[in-house]
Amino acid sequence: MTDWKTIEVEQHDRVLLVRLNRPDSLNAFNPTMYSEFRQAIENANDDPSIGAIVSTGNGRAYSAGADIGGFNATFEQKKSSSSDEREESGTPFDPTFIMESKPIIGAINGVSVGIGLTGPLLFDTLLASTTARFSMRFAAIGLTPEVGSAWMLPHIIGLHRAREMMLTGRIYNAQEALELGLVRKVYEPEELVPEAIKLAQEIAANPIDTLASIKRMVWDDLASTDVSSVWRRSSERFAAARKTVQHREALLAMKEKRDSRFHDESYMSELSDRIASGTS
C-alpha cells in the first residue's frame, strides 16, 4: 500500500475515490500532490478491478490552485515549484494522459480556483456541493488561463460565458456554476461524494475497453474540424465494436435475461475463445 503524503485513496467496489489532502493549504497543489495524484490515477488505470475514479478534496476546498510559493521564486530567479517541478514530477492535468485514463468524475466540494478548476475541466463530468465556489481568477492576479482552459472552457459553457468568466475573474457559487453548465448537478455537502460514487459505479459497470474507446472518440471529435472525418471514424469504430467480445456478451446477456459479465475475466476469456472458434 502506498504511503501517500498529500492525498487519500479509498476503493468502493469498482470505483477509486481520491481525496486531495492538504486542507490547511486549501489543497493547493505542490509538486508532491501533482505527482501523487497522477500516480493514483495511473494505479487505477492499471487495476482491472477499478472502472472509474472520483476526485474530491478534504476540508473547505477542492483546491485553491497551485501552491503560490513557487510563483515568488520566479522573480527571485529560483526554480519554480509551481511549473518546472510540476512538469518534472508529472502533472495529472495533461490532455493526453486524461483522455487515455479511465473515466474521472470531479466531486467539487468547496473552493475551486486556478488549477483547482482548470484541471478538472479535463475530467469527464463535474458535480458540486452547495458550498462550492468557482473562479478563473487569472486576470485578477495578472496571469493568463493555464493548461488549455481558454480552449476547453468555451467548449463546456459556451464562448461568451467563458469570456466573461475569464475576463472578470469573478467568483461563482454552485448554483451559478450549474446554470452556466460548468457542473452537471449540485448536492448538499454530505450527499456529494456518495452521489459521485453512485454515478461512477454506473459508469464502471460498463466494459473498460468500450469506455476507453468512447473517451477517445469524444476527444478526437472535439478537436476535429472535418465533419466528414468525424462521420467516417464513427462508422469505422461502430463496425469494429460490433465484432468485440464485449458486444457479444451484451447480446448473450439480453438473450438469456441476465446481467452482463464484462468484468469476469475467466468467463470473458472463455467467451473470446468460443467466438474465435465459431462456437458462440
Side-chain angles (χ1 to χ4, degrees):
M1 183 175 179
T2 305
D3 183 20
W4 304 108
K5 295 182 176 64
T6 62
I7 64 172
E8 295 177 345
V9 298
E10 308 165 14
Q11 187 166 349
H12 299 259
D13 295 326
R14 292 187 51 75
V15 174
L16 186 73
L17 174 64
V18 182
R19 296 180 184 272
L20 305 180
N21 190 37
R22 299 185 70 217
D24 292 344
S25 301
L26 296 181
N27 297 325
F29 274 90
N30 63 7
T32 302
M33 183 180 281
Y34 281 117
S35 180
E36 289 192 340
F37 189 34
R38 183 178 176 116
Q39 186 62 57
I41 296 172
E42 289 177 345
N43 292 351
N45 290 341
D46 292 338
D47 187 344
S49 73
I50 293 171
I53 302 161
V54 171
S55 173
T56 193
N58 283 336
R60 296 188 296 113
Y62 173 76
S63 173
D67 194 316
I68 62 172
F71 286 82
N72 286 326
T74 301
F75 294 96
E76 298 166 7
Q77 296 184 334
K78 295 178 181 178
K79 190 175 185 179
S80 172
S81 62
S82 64
S83 57
D84 297 337
E85 290 184 24
R86 176 175 72 193
E87 293 177 4
E88 288 177 7
S89 60
T91 175
F93 302 119
D94 175 282
T96 301
F97 176 67
I98 293 295
M99 76 173 62
E100 295 176 353
S101 168
K102 290 175 180 175
I104 306 175
I105 295 171
I108 310 301
N109 56 294
V111 175
S112 177
V113 177
I115 195 68
L117 175 56
T118 58
L121 292 179
L122 298 170
F123 294 169
D124 296 285
T125 194
L126 299 180
L127 309 178
S129 160
T130 54
T131 60
R133 297 293 182 269
F134 303 84
S135 181
M136 297 284 285
R137 290 291 290 169
F138 301 99
I141 56 173
L143 292 175
T144 55
E146 59 186 348
V147 294
S149 56
W151 177 84
M152 197 73 211
L153 187 62
H155 280 84
I156 296 172
I157 68 172
L159 179 60
H160 285 196
R161 289 176 172 182
R163 282 173 173 166
E164 182 176 313
M165 193 171 186
M166 289 185 286
L167 294 173
T168 64
R170 184 184 304 153
I171 297 172
Y172 295 78
N173 63 34
Q175 183 59 38
E176 290 169 327
L178 180 64
E179 293 169 358
L180 285 172
L182 184 61
V183 301
R184 280 282 297 114
K185 290 186 179 180
V186 173
Y187 296 97
E188 293 299 323
E190 66 276 8
E191 297 175 347
L192 175 64
V193 170
E195 289 294 333
I197 291 173
K198 182 179 177 182
L199 176 58
Q201 293 284 18
E202 185 177 352
I203 293 170
N206 296 315
I208 291 174
D209 290 346
T210 304
L211 293 173
S213 294
I214 292 171
K215 281 197 62 168
R216 187 74 204 201
M217 282 181 67
V218 171
W219 278 98
D220 286 348
D221 294 350
L222 185 66
S224 180
T225 58
D226 182 359
V227 175
S228 62
S229 294
V230 170
W231 255 252
R232 185 181 67 253
R233 287 196 303 266
S234 178
S235 297
E236 290 171 351
R237 284 166 167 158
F238 185 80
R242 288 184 62 182
K243 300 175 183 178
T244 62
V245 63
Q246 291 87 357
H247 179 57
R248 181 57 177 159
E249 165 55 11
L251 293 176
L252 288 171
M254 286 188 284
K255 180 181 178 181
E256 297 167 8
K257 298 181 180 180
R258 59 171 175 81
D259 291 336
S260 300
R261 297 170 65 180
F262 298 131
H263 309 299
D264 184 333
E265 292 185 33
S266 60
Y267 168 79
M268 292 296 285
S269 178
E270 178 188 343
L271 178 58
S272 182
D273 291 341
R274 282 161 41 200
I275 293 172
S277 65
T279 59
S280 178

